[in-house]
Amino acid sequence: MSTTTANTARSSKRLLALDVMRGITIAGMILVNNPGGWDEIYPPLMHASWNGLTPTDLVFPFFMFIMGVSSYLSLRKFNFEFSMPTVIKIVRRTVLIFLVGLFLTWLSMFLRGVYSGAALWESVMTFDHIRILGVLPRLALCYGVGSLLGIIFSRRTLKWIVALMLVAYAVVLVVGHGFEFADHNVIAIVDRAVLGEAHMYTDYVDGVSLKFDPEGFLSTLPSVAHMLIGFLCGSLIVGGSDNTSRINRLFIVGTVLTFAGFLLSYGLPINKKVWSPTFVLTTCGLASSLLALLIWIIDVKGYRRWSRFFEAFGVNPLFLYCLSAVLAIVVGLTRIPWSGVEGGAISIKGFVYQVCLLPVCCGDKALASAMFAVLFVLLNWCVGYVLYKKKIYIKL
């Protein structure tokens, strides 16, 4: 982890829209991950149960897309040369992000064990059933593999690699029952063989419980292709002579990918949990179009005041995401005395949601849950804003 200050501040030529879009996705990820209660949530703030697409399903792929764009801009400083310093930099960051993700998973399990009264040693030694993959490990793997491919192959070759990845994965899904939520799904089979059931996520679809990891091993393949599409869009941005050219290029790519994704979805459903090829095409297309729109609004028209909120998230994205995960554990497990509940104690999260927000919302659980999520985003923003004002950029 490194911290930079004003001496290494961003170039004046940097597109502010990149930071804003990155910030929007991080704020969105924190919002949808931290409702006040899971028993009743507004549908747009929920993931699709299986096939389909909701606004919530967009935030993670949008961040992965923008990570690809940022990786292109970062590796451009090294002229995309395959050298040991560049490889070491990529591998070091990949390992760091992966280990941070693994640590956060372990920390959650450890604290839950401690709060439940389990022996300290038992709470520490949870490695035999810790979930190995997840959001941060997927980001790490996609960044590492995608960046290495970016310095090995030309942009033209990368386009063919992306196409090959998506076509090959589509064939695997069709042949291997990849769109069925069942034990014989090829994704579940591979993950059980590679990871083991003890290290996998337990998912629920229509009341059916199954060891099925939405960030599993096999579905990382199309995720790498996803990152590389962002990487290639980064080359479009750099290759544009001005913002108008960049906007036109991104809109064209976005429109083509979005339409291709929706049209192909009749045979290959859009599905986040298997990271289907149509999910990749559709979300990358929408992300490209959104980036073009933000460049036009912020960098061309100069409407920037509204974007300051998201810029605070965008300049320290992974740090604030990790902070939100730690805070979620703390407020969810730390209990305070409260005579109004059974046992005489309630978690901080439960107190805010049940005692404070539910009465204000006249018992509307969905509204109270959404309000808690918004307050939680604001709590993390306060930390991000302090770092932003002090020009402190913490990079993972």
Side-chain angles (χ1 to χ4, degrees):
M1 181 182 295
S2 62
T3 304
T4 60
T5 57
N7 293 330
T8 56
R10 294 156 289 152
S11 167
S12 60
K13 295 182 180 179
R14 182 186 180 111
L15 288 173
L16 179 60
L18 292 173
D19 286 334
V20 173
M21 182 170 173
R22 191 184 298 111
I24 290 173
T25 59
I26 288 297
M29 290 168 74
I30 296 174
L31 179 75
V32 301
N33 286 343
N34 296 279
W38 291 100
D39 53 343
E40 190 170 342
I41 304 175
Y42 289 125
L45 298 179
M46 299 175 63
H47 289 291
S49 176
W50 187 240
N51 293 332
L53 196 65
T54 72
T56 296
D57 292 321
L58 298 178
V59 289
F60 187 18
F62 275 23
F63 184 81
M64 188 169 294
F65 173 87
I66 208 70
M67 180 181 71
V69 175
S70 300
S71 296
Y72 182 90
L73 300 179
S74 176
L75 292 175
R76 182 168 174 257
K77 302 172 185 176
F78 300 90
N79 295 319
F80 304 101
E81 294 180 357
F82 187 86
S83 62
M84 285 309 299
T86 305
V87 172
I88 291 173
K89 175 181 180 296
I90 293 171
V91 172
R92 182 189 295 122
R93 187 165 188 245
T94 299
V95 172
L96 175 61
I97 296 174
F98 192 98
L99 291 179
V100 169
L102 204 60
F103 169 76
L104 291 176
T105 302
W106 171 85
L107 179 64
S108 176
M109 297 177 67
F110 167 72
L111 292 178
R112 290 179 189 280
V114 171
Y115 277 93
S116 66
L120 181 62
W121 182 247
E122 292 180 1
S123 300
V124 171
M125 300 303 294
T126 58
F127 303 106
D128 60 336
H129 57 280
I130 190 173
R131 183 189 179 197
I132 296 176
L133 298 179
V135 172
L136 287 178
R138 168 154 291 187
L139 289 174
L141 293 174
C142 291
Y143 164 78
V145 176
S147 295
L148 289 174
L149 290 175
I151 60 176
I152 294 174
F153 298 102
S154 67
R155 307 294 87 76
R156 181 184 296 273
T157 304
L158 284 179
K159 295 176 184 177
W160 288 106
I161 291 176
V162 168
L164 180 61
M165 285 180 172
L166 295 181
V167 170
Y169 187 63
V171 172
V172 170
L173 290 180
V174 172
V175 174
H177 308 283
F179 293 104
E180 298 179 27
F181 187 72
D183 285 324
H184 59 268
N185 185 311
V186 64
I187 297 175
I189 293 173
V190 171
D191 285 347
R192 286 197 300 267
V194 175
L195 304 172
E197 286 196 4
H199 301 289
M200 292 173 59
Y201 182 81
T202 302
D203 205 351
Y204 299 86
V205 175
D206 297 329
V208 178
S209 172
L210 181 67
K211 285 291 184 179
F212 191 96
D213 206 312
E215 284 86 36
F217 181 78
L218 182 59
S219 57
T220 300
L221 177 66
S223 301
V224 173
H226 194 122
M227 180 270 184
L228 287 174
I229 292 176
F231 189 88
L232 292 169
C233 285
S235 69
L236 294 180
I237 293 174
V238 172
S241 57
D242 53 29
N243 282 335
T244 299
S245 174
R246 293 164 181 160
I247 291 170
N248 290 338
R249 292 182 175 196
L250 289 173
F251 263 133
I252 292 172
V253 169
T255 301
V256 171
L257 292 179
T258 302
F259 271 91
F262 278 121
L263 289 174
L264 292 173
S265 68
Y266 289 100
L268 299 169
I270 297 173
N271 188 311
K272 177 186 180 295
K273 293 183 178 180
V274 304
W275 215 273
S276 65
T278 47
F279 177 78
V280 173
L281 295 175
T282 303
T283 55
C284 281
L286 293 173
S288 181
S289 297
L290 176 60
L291 180 56
L293 179 62
L294 290 174
I295 293 175
W296 180 77
I297 293 173
I298 298 171
D299 295 287
V300 174
K301 291 298 184 180
Y303 301 135
R304 301 184 176 186
R305 292 183 60 182
W306 68 273
S307 67
R308 298 304 181 195
F309 177 86
F310 297 107
E311 192 178 356
F313 281 107
V315 295
N316 285 297
L318 291 183
F319 171 76
L320 290 176
Y321 179 79
C322 293
L323 174 67
S324 73
V326 174
L327 289 177
I329 296 170
V330 172
V331 301
L333 296 178
T334 303
R335 303 181 70 81
I336 58 177
W338 187 254
S339 59
V341 296
E342 184 179 352
I346 190 172
S347 68
I348 296 176
K349 178 178 181 178
F351 177 81
V352 175
Y353 171 59
Q354 298 177 23
V355 179
C356 300
L357 295 179
L358 265 179
V360 172
C361 299
C362 302
D364 188 331
K365 292 184 178 181
L367 179 58
S369 180
M371 287 185 62
F372 178 90
V374 171
L375 291 175
F376 193 78
V377 171
L378 291 175
L379 174 63
N380 286 273
W381 176 83
C382 290
V383 178
Y385 183 72
V386 171
L387 297 176
Y388 171 71
K389 293 296 289 184
K390 293 182 177 295
K391 301 187 186 302
I392 298 175
Y393 311 125
I394 303 174
K395 299 179 179 180
L396 292 184

